């Protein structure tokens, strides 16, 4: 275990933390009263002293015991706000940011390997980099809290600029104090359950406030760096309203609404930008040369206002505005907030709008040096139209393969084609599905009755087909199949798409057409191992080969969380790496580009950690400029909460993709072979240690359910979807998110490390291990995450949860195994990385974590007490509220908990 001296919390070097912490103290005193302030301060300093080894273990408990229930709630809120403000202060200092993670540095680094800008540009011409936002329920904070926090961040920027007043003349310190007072008085917990519509609204605010303005600004920056205008390869994707795996509340109406709202936001944004441009482009024919293209647009606009007769740019913009307003009306279903005075034909597709804007830009470029055209508001608008189209973000569909199987079974039965499809073996299924895909006749008819599930699935593919007609094919291009484990899982989806005309049978030499790509999500260790052979068999079907060749690429999604829950941290990480590597030649043989979609969350047990390092650690040849990655829950606010932070993170993702695609492999083939063999061995022993504990230990399920706040977490109102797919309490059936989340709360964080200790111990060649840890980016990244998790976990605190376990003897034995595993992992990690304590080489993160720990400990202790009372049958609603607040506060302090 780490020695007490090494965990001494530092006196923070971060002046913002001291500044904001002091204001928070004042706010607590003014609004919560002197007594609460003194109690909070007492517990805080006792906890800090305790962590420094100054007092005995009982001091913190004494302070906590003196708290009444009401005070407990206020106290937890105070600690939560402190953590929130500390996060803010750290984000400003770039504690979590990766150094040199910008495109310019990546290009320089590539140049040092002899890879020039042309190679970078060639890659970008076929690149696609997409963070995909999902509604995965791990964000515990309400949006109102996050908004207050962001306002404080904006005010702090004014402070940085040396200002003492806000733009409205308010004293800056007072304005900050006022925001913190608002935070203090804002209820942190949701009273109402979230609906899908809330999630749709929530994600839209990120598009409106951040992505719509930020992406064009980033492209403008990259254009300067590259010296030419790069294509629009960076997009933002969305799952909210399309991901119905285990969420019965996502149906056709939600899909339609998500797309309509997205269109409203995108086109509304362009209308505003055009309006502003109309005011700006006051060039007169008397003073400027105006080319024919612009004059033609002006003529066609129908703008006959006498005051604008010599202002063709303004007239052209009015005409474009009128057409775009008509587009808005047709697609969104009502007038835009600022309707056009003129009549115009709706644009059929974003490309047509772009063409008109480019005509205007070229007109301006003819004047002077062209700076007016590429930069400025018009340049940004053109970029936004290219990037966001009329649909804002590609919305993915997702459903579980079990559901597809049931629906296809019913469709085939009702149509009289096959009585029991589900009873067929894989060969027979494939043969039947291929026969059906070769025929244009749909299976479903309006005149048949279907189960609710089948009707709902048919309605959603129909909604997708309608959306393609309204917004264009870019609005939905992927259909993700959860728990994919066979070729028939993919074909079933193609068959369902065919029901709505989204799969068209080939004719003669013309291949079949799939307007939406069926994408398998491989998410258990066994499925990851089988992935290359499944894809090879899929590509081996002539109709699929035709579709894939025509499209030029195929996506495969790989799931970090479920593979982790299935096989433990190391084995999951290694299987993902191996699967990606083995898939690359399969794609090469099929003559199509591979696009991997990484399904990861914020916590290490779900693939979290630095994306910059993770992308670079991908096996060579598996990125090639194309990558999609899920971003969810608290990660969305952390990475994209403000424009500055979003720019930094999108830069990091892009530069990591460039490096992963183009930088030569850092290790020799010989080392690669040695390291692979070693990892196979490590992974094998980590796997059996993990499986043995989690799936092979009598009473483990009960231990987990009683030790951690899993039951309490399931009651949190943080997402629209249920915590489990089924009613079963088996660990296999529990969703990965609550699994990881509850282990974090109890500070065990088992999914982030368990299994590694025994693997380290069993691995004999320690010198080889040290060598690997030093020069192999895969292992560096995996160990860096492991290290962070170990630093945040604390089995001393976890032991306080042990009394919650009913069978003390069995529970104690399991806990001892976990504790030994932790120690072995800790020692093995230090030995492999040559450090004398955790995070020795990462002082920023070290300080950040050690500063938080004393704030988290009292929260854990309170959580245990409240859980005891709650489970003991006390029904005071403040107890449940206290537990939920503590979950909220611990998650905030740990940052990547879910
Ligand atoms: P899923 O996500 O359960 O929706 O597949 C898992 C995760 O993100 O952890």
């Amino acid at each position: 275990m780490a020695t007490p001296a090494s965990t001494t919390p530092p006196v923070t070097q971060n002046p913002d933390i001291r500044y904001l912490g002091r204001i928070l103290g004042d706010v607590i005193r003014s609004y919560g009263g002197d007594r609460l302030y003194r109690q909070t301060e007492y517990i805080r300093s006792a906890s800090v002293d305790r962590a420094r080894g100054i007092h005995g273990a009982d001091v913190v408990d004494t302070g906590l015991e003196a708290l009444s229930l009401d005070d407990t709630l206020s106290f937890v809120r105070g600690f939560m706000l402190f953590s929130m403000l500390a996060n803010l202060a750290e984000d400003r200092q770039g504690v979590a940011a990766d150094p040199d993670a910008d495109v310019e540095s990546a290009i320089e680094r590539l140049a040092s390997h002899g890879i020039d800008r042309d190679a970078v540009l060639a890659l970008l011409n076929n690149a696609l980099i997409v963070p995909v936002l999902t509604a995965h329920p791990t964000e515990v904070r309400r949006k109102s809290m996050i908004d207050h926090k962001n306002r404080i961040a904006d005010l702090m920027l004014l402070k940085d600029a040396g200002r003492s007043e806000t733009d409205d003349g308010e004293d800056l310190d007072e304005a900050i104090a006022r925001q913190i007072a608002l935070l203090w008085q804002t209820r942190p917990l949701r009273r109402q359950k979230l609906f899908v519509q809330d999630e749709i609204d929530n994600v839209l605010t990120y598009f409106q406030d951040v992505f719509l303005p930020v992406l064009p600004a980033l492209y403008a920056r990259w254009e300067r760096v590259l010296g030419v205008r790069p294509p629009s390869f960076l997009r933002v994707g969305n799952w909210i309203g399309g991901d119905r795996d285990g969420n019965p509340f996502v149906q056709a109406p939600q899909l339609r609404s998500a797309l309509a709202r997205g269109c409203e936001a995108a086109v509304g944004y362009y209308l505003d930008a055009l309006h502003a441009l109309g005011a700006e482009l006051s060039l007169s024919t008397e003073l400027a040369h105006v080319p024919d293209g612009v004059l033609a647009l002006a003529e066609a606009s129908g703008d006959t206002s006498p005051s604008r007769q010599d202002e063709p740019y303004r007239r052209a913009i009015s005409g474009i505005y009128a057409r775009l307003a008509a587009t808005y009306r047709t697609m969104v279903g009502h007038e835009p907030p600022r309707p056009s005075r003129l009549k115009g034909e709706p644009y059929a597709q974003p490309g047509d709008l772009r063409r008109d804007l480019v005509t205007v830009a070229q007109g301006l470029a003819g004047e002077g040096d062209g700076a007016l055209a590429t930069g400025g508001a018009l340049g940004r608008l053109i970029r936004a139209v290219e990037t966001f189209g009329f649909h804002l973000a590609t919305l993915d569909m997702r459903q579980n393969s079990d559901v597809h199987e049931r629906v296809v079974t019913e469709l085939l039965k009702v149509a009289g084609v096959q009585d029991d499809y589900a009873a067929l073996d894989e060969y027979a299924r494939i043969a039947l599905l291929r026969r059906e895909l070769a025929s244009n006749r749909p299976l479903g008819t309006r005149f048949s009755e279907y189960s609710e599930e089948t009707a709902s699935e048919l309605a959603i593919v129909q909604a997708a087909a309608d959306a393609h007609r309204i917004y264009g094919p870019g609005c939905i291009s992927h259909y993700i199949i959860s728990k994919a484990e066979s070729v028939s899982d993919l074909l079933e989806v193609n068959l369902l798409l065919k029901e709505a005309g989204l799969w068209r049978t080939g004719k003669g030499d013309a291949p079949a057409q799939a307007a939406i790509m069926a994408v398998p999500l491989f998410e258990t260790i066994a499925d990851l191992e089988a992935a290359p052979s499944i894809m090879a068999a899929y590509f081996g079907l002539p109709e699929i080969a035709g579709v894939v060749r025509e499209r030029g690429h195929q996506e495969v999604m790989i799931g970090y969380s479920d593979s982790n829950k299935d096989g433990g941290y190391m084995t999951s990480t290694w299987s993902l790496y191996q699967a990606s590597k083995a898939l690359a030649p399969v794609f090469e043989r099929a003559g199509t580009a591979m696009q991997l979609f990484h399904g990861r969350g914020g916590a290490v047990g779900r693939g979290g950690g630095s994306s910059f390092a993770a992308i670079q650690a991908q096996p060579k040849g598996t990125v090639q400029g194309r990558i999609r990655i899920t971003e969810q829950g608290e990660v969305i606010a952390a990475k994209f909460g403000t424009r500055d932070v979003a720019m930094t993170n999108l830069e990091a993702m892009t530069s990591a993709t460039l490096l992963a695609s183009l930088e030569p492999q850092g290790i020799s083939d010989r080392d690669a072979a040695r390291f692979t063999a070693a990892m196979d061995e490590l992974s094998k022993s980590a796997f059996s240690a993990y499986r043995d504990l989690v799936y092979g230990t009598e009473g483990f399920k009960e231990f987990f359910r009683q030790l951690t706040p899993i039951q309490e977490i399931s009651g949190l109102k943080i997402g629209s979807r249920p915590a489990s797919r089924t009613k079963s309490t088996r660990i296999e059936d529990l969703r990965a998110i609550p699994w990881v989340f509850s282990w974090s709360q109890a500070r065990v964080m088992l999914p982030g490390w368990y299994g590694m200790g025994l693997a380290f111990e069993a691995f004999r060649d320690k010198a080889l291990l040290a060598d690997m840890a030093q020069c192999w980016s895969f292992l560096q990244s995996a160990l860096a995450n492991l290290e962070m998790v170990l630093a945040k976990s604390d089995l001393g605190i976890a032991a306080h949860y042990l009394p919650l376990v009913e069978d003390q003897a069995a529970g104690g034995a399991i806990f001892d195994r976990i504790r030994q595993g932790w120690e072995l992992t800790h020692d093995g990690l230090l030995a492999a990385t040559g450090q004398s304590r955790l995070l020795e080489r990462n002082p920023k993160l070290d300080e950040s974590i050690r500063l938080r720990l004393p704030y988290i400990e009292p929260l854990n202790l309170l959580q245990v007490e409240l859980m005891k009372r709650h489970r003991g049958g006390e029904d005071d609603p403040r107890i449940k509220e206290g537990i939920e607040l503590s979950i909220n506060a611990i998650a905030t302090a740990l940052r990547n908990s879910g």
Side-chain angles (χ1 to χ4, degrees):
M1 281 243 198
T3 60
S6 71
T7 54
T8 302
V11 175
T12 178
Q13 300 302 317
N14 186 326
D16 293 346
I17 295 186
R18 284 204 296 274
Y19 171 76
L20 294 168
R22 191 172 39 73
I23 301 181
L24 176 63
D26 294 344
V27 165
I28 294 179
R29 197 188 338 240
S30 338
Y31 293 87
D34 208 41
R35 197 171 55 89
L36 176 68
Y37 172 75
R38 276 187 286 107
Q39 276 176 324
T40 305
E41 260 308 292
Y42 176 77
I43 298 168
R44 193 188 65 79
S45 56
S47 187
V48 169
D49 284 352
R50 198 178 101 74
R52 288 207 180 119
I54 296 178
H55 290 298
D58 49 344
V59 176
V60 177
D61 295 326
T62 316
L64 291 174
E65 272 156 19
L67 292 175
S68 68
L69 256 186
D70 282 333
D71 288 346
T72 299
L73 300 191
S74 303
F75 165 81
V76 173
R77 239 157 19 88
F79 266 38
M80 179 180 67
L81 292 188
F82 174 80
S83 300
M84 205 164 163
L85 295 172
N87 294 348
L88 182 162
E90 286 182 356
D91 286 344
R92 282 165 45 74
Q93 308 258 315
V95 169
D98 294 288
D100 299 330
D102 58 287
V103 168
E104 192 165 5
S105 312
I107 291 177
E108 278 165 19
R109 199 161 124 185
L110 290 171
S112 72
H113 294 290
I115 297 156
D116 62 11
R117 254 154 233 256
D118 288 345
V120 172
L121 277 169
L123 182 87
L124 291 181
N125 280 332
N126 288 308
L128 182 75
I129 302 178
V130 188
V132 180
L133 310 184
T134 79
H136 283 33
T138 59
E139 174 59 271
V140 286
R141 297 165 303 167
R142 288 177 63 208
K143 185 73 173 47
S144 316
M145 304 283 286
I146 298 171
D147 289 344
H148 286 312
K149 190 196 103 181
N150 288 342
R151 277 190 282 271
I152 297 171
D154 287 344
L155 292 169
M156 292 295 282
L157 286 177
L158 294 183
K159 217 171 153 58
D160 294 342
R163 301 257 303 261
S164 57
E165 278 186 1
T166 67
D167 290 341
D168 304 319
E170 194 181 356
D171 178 82
L172 198 49
D173 292 323
E174 276 171 25
I176 292 172
R178 210 160 47 79
Q179 284 298 332
I180 296 182
L182 280 173
L183 261 181
W184 174 255
Q185 294 170 93
T186 300
R187 170 173 43 80
L189 295 176
R190 286 193 197 88
R191 291 248 192 276
Q192 308 295 332
K193 185 177 156 31
L194 271 180
F195 293 100
V196 180
Q197 194 57 49
D198 301 315
E199 292 170 339
I200 294 173
D201 291 345
N202 185 13
V203 77
L204 277 177
T205 63
Y206 286 93
F207 278 95
Q208 285 165 318
D209 299 344
V210 178
F211 294 119
L212 277 161
V214 155
L215 265 73
L218 267 177
Y219 280 116
R221 183 192 282 175
W222 295 334
E223 182 168 339
R224 285 193 301 276
V225 171
L226 289 162
V228 285
R229 187 177 191 277
S232 299
F233 58 86
L234 175 69
R235 313 269 166 112
V236 182
N238 182 25
W239 267 20
I240 304 171
D243 172 19
R244 58 198 194 288
D245 172 17
N247 190 343
F249 307 111
V250 178
Q251 297 192 352
Q254 284 70 27
L255 182 97
R256 291 183 199 274
S257 162
L259 287 165
R261 296 292 315 278
C263 173
E264 184 176 8
V267 180
Y269 185 84
Y270 306 153
L271 285 170
D272 287 346
L274 274 173
H275 181 73
L277 267 174
E280 191 181 317
L281 297 181
S282 53
L283 294 77
S284 162
T285 42
E286 290 165 20
L287 298 167
H289 167 75
V290 181
D292 291 346
V294 178
L295 290 174
L297 279 176
E299 250 349 272
S301 71
D303 184 349
T304 52
S305 152
S307 63
R308 274 199 283 276
Q309 283 320 292
D310 68 325
E311 295 177 344
Y313 282 96
R314 280 189 165 161
R315 290 170 59 220
I317 296 287
S318 307
I320 299 173
Y321 188 97
R323 291 195 63 186
L324 194 58
T327 314
Y328 183 105
R329 206 166 42 240
T330 332
M331 293 188 177
V332 179
H334 57 82
E335 282 289 346
R338 194 187 296 108
S340 168
R341 293 170 296 105
L342 306 171
K343 281 205 168 16
E345 271 292 298
Y347 285 111
Q349 47 191 345
D352 298 343
L353 165 64
R354 183 184 179 278
R355 204 186 42 238
D356 284 354
L357 295 173
V358 168
T359 302
V360 175
Q362 281 167 344
L364 292 169
E367 297 299 309
D369 60 3
L372 277 177
T374 49
L378 182 54
R380 287 196 297 276
L381 178 57
I382 293 173
R383 184 62 85 169
V385 172
E386 275 177 24
T387 311
F388 300 99
F390 290 154
H391 58 276
L392 188 68
T394 297
L395 180 68
D396 291 355
M397 303 170 80
R398 181 170 77 137
Q399 182 57 287
N400 200 293
S401 60
D402 292 345
V403 176
H404 300 140
E405 182 185 293
R406 287 197 294 271
V407 171
V408 167
T409 303
E410 181 171 349
L411 281 175
L412 289 166
K413 184 175 162 78
V414 172
V417 176
Q418 173 70 40
D419 225 30
D420 192 359
Y421 167 80
L424 299 181
D425 66 19
E426 176 66 3
Y427 291 107
R429 285 181 183 206
I430 293 178
L432 173 53
L433 294 168
R434 290 186 64 200
R435 266 199 312 281
E436 285 302 319
L437 283 173
S439 144
N440 266 325
R441 159 190 58 74
L443 287 167
T445 82
R446 280 185 292 129
F447 310 108
S448 301
E449 292 259 324
Y450 296 102
S451 64
E452 206 180 305
E453 181 174 68
T454 297
S456 162
E457 293 300 302
L458 289 176
I460 206 154
V461 278
Q462 187 53 52
D466 295 345
H468 269 213
R469 268 191 297 280
I470 304 172
Y471 311 106
C475 70
I476 302 175
S477 34
H478 305 83
Y479 189 131
I480 317 286
I481 305 153
S482 297
K483 297 259 150 41
E485 47 198 24
S486 60
V487 170
S488 61
D489 287 341
L490 282 142
L491 295 178
E492 284 165 10
V493 165
N494 287 325
L495 185 67
L496 291 175
L497 291 170
K498 197 191 93 181
E499 290 298 299
L502 291 164
W503 168 283
R504 297 277 165 97
T505 302
K507 272 199 213 90
D509 284 345
Q513 286 176 356
I516 295 180
M517 185 195 330
V519 175
L521 162 51
F522 297 112
E523 48 186 336
T524 63
I525 302 294
D527 293 343
L528 283 167
E529 277 167 8
S533 62
I534 295 172
M535 291 316 289
Y538 187 57
F539 290 150
L541 305 176
E543 59 276 41
I544 299 300
V547 169
V548 168
R549 220 176 307 111
E550 187 82 353
R551 193 190 299 119
H553 71 278
Q554 165 71 38
E555 182 172 274
V556 167
M557 184 167 186
I558 49 180
Y560 287 63
S561 320
D562 280 278
S563 57
N564 184 309
K565 184 158 74 74
D566 189 31
Y569 173 63
M570 238 335 142
T571 305
S572 151
T573 313
W574 182 236
S575 305
L576 292 160
Y577 184 93
Q578 288 289 74
S580 312
K581 209 162 107 186
L583 279 166
V586 172
F587 277 71
E588 213 166 287
R589 279 196 296 278
T592 196
M594 174 165 88
Q595 179 171 303
L596 286 182
F597 185 7
H598 300 259
R600 50 203 298 258
V604 168
R606 293 175 45 232
S610 155
S611 319
F612 184 64
I615 296 172
Q616 285 182 78
Q618 295 303 313
K620 282 295 142 205
T622 60
V623 181
Q624 295 173 328
R626 301 191 78 92
I627 190 164
R628 298 205 305 153
I629 300 182
T630 52
E631 301 284 9
Q632 54 83 55
E634 77 282 5
V635 176
I636 297 182
K639 282 189 164 174
F640 310 115
T642 63
R643 294 182 191 180
D644 280 350
V645 173
M647 295 220 19
T648 309
N649 282 302
L650 293 168
E651 274 262 0
M653 186 171 178
T654 305
S655 63
T657 306
L658 291 180
L659 293 170
S661 309
L662 295 172
E663 204 170 35
Q665 170 158 302
I667 52 172
S668 67
D669 288 347
R670 192 177 149 264
D671 276 349
R674 280 195 314 143
F675 294 176
T676 299
M679 264 319 296
D680 279 340
E681 193 184 326
L682 280 162
S683 163
K684 226 165 149 195
S685 22
F687 181 76
S688 52
Y690 175 86
R691 290 289 308 184
D692 196 30
L693 177 77
V694 173
Y695 297 99
T697 304
E698 174 90 21
F700 187 83
K701 186 183 84 181
E702 291 70 25
F703 171 82
F704 161 67
R705 298 199 82 86
Q706 292 164 10
L707 182 94
T708 73
I710 174 73
Q711 304 159 39
E712 291 76 7
I713 282 171
S714 310
L716 280 183
K717 298 179 183 64
I718 57 173
S720 68
R721 80 178 194 189
S724 254
R725 286 196 178 90
T726 61
K727 296 240 171 317
S728 130
T729 56
R730 289 182 349 138
I731 290 171
E732 289 87 333
D733 295 326
L734 180 69
R735 290 203 89 121
I737 289 175
W739 164 252
V740 173
F741 202 130
S742 44
W743 282 118
S744 303
Q745 288 281 320
R747 305 290 298 284
V748 181
M749 297 173 167
L750 185 113
W753 58 270
Y754 194 85
M756 258 331 264
L758 290 157
F760 279 140
E761 192 192 32
F763 193 77
R764 293 276 149 240
D765 192 343
K766 307 288 184 215
L768 172 60
L769 197 56
D771 207 14
M772 289 160 67
Q774 184 160 17
C775 57
W776 191 19
S777 58
F778 164 76
L779 198 61
Q780 279 164 354
S781 153
L783 294 184
N785 290 334
L786 179 72
E787 189 171 357
M788 176 179 73
V789 173
L790 289 182
K792 289 184 176 180
S793 64
D794 186 327
L795 292 189
I797 292 180
H800 287 276
Y801 287 75
L802 201 47
L804 293 165
V805 177
E806 280 162 26
D807 184 342
Q808 279 292 302
I814 295 178
F815 194 83
D816 283 345
R817 275 171 75 188
I818 295 179
R819 195 200 297 271
Q820 280 157 14
W822 191 95
E823 284 173 16
L824 287 174
T825 308
H826 171 265
D827 296 349
L829 176 92
L830 293 188
T833 55
Q835 298 181 98
S836 63
R837 63 175 173 82
L838 293 177
L839 296 176
E840 193 174 19
R841 299 218 192 89
N842 193 345
K844 273 191 191 171
L845 185 61
D846 186 35
E847 175 184 329
S848 160
I849 294 179
R850 285 198 287 134
L851 180 75
R852 301 306 168 79
L853 294 179
Y855 287 83
I856 312 179
E857 177 168 4
L859 294 170
N860 280 123
L861 299 179
L862 280 174
Q863 184 173 78
V864 172
E865 277 317 302
L866 293 169
M867 280 166 66
K868 272 187 203 152
R869 292 172 67 175
H870 186 55
R871 293 184 187 177
E874 282 192 50
D875 56 3
D876 187 326
R878 288 173 302 175
I879 294 182
K880 184 157 174 279
E881 187 173 345
I883 296 174
E884 293 181 353
L885 269 177
S886 70
I887 294 176
N888 207 306
I890 294 170
T892 305
L894 290 171
R895 299 214 79 166
N896 46 5
S897 62

